């Protein structure tokens, strides 16, 4: 299947490296922060369960 590229399409004018990725970087930082808290909380729950003899 052959593909054709339409030069009038807005993506054809994109120049690599010019996109503002601030929102993506903030989202990723929030995700990493959330996963760190979730991991810490999970470890705390496991320790609590071990100490409580569950």
């Amino acid at each position: 299947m052959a593909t054709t590229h339409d030069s009038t399409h807005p993506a054809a004018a994109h120049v690599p490296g010019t996109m503002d990725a601030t929102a993506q970087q903030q989202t990723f930082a929030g995700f990493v922060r959330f996963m760190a808290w979730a991991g810490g909380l999970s470890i705390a729950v496991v320790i609590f369960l071990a100490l409580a003899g569950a």
Side-chain angles (χ1 to χ4, degrees):
M1 179 164 122
T3 59
T4 59
H5 296 284
D6 184 6
S7 62
T8 60
H9 190 274
H14 176 69
V15 177
T18 59
M19 185 175 114
D20 181 20
T22 304
Q24 289 88 344
Q25 291 170 342
Q26 290 173 346
T27 301
F28 182 72
F31 172 75
V32 170
R33 189 178 315 114
F34 171 76
M35 291 308 293
W37 276 98
L41 181 60
S42 298
I43 292 170
V45 167
V46 169
I47 291 172
F48 172 75
L49 289 174
L51 294 174

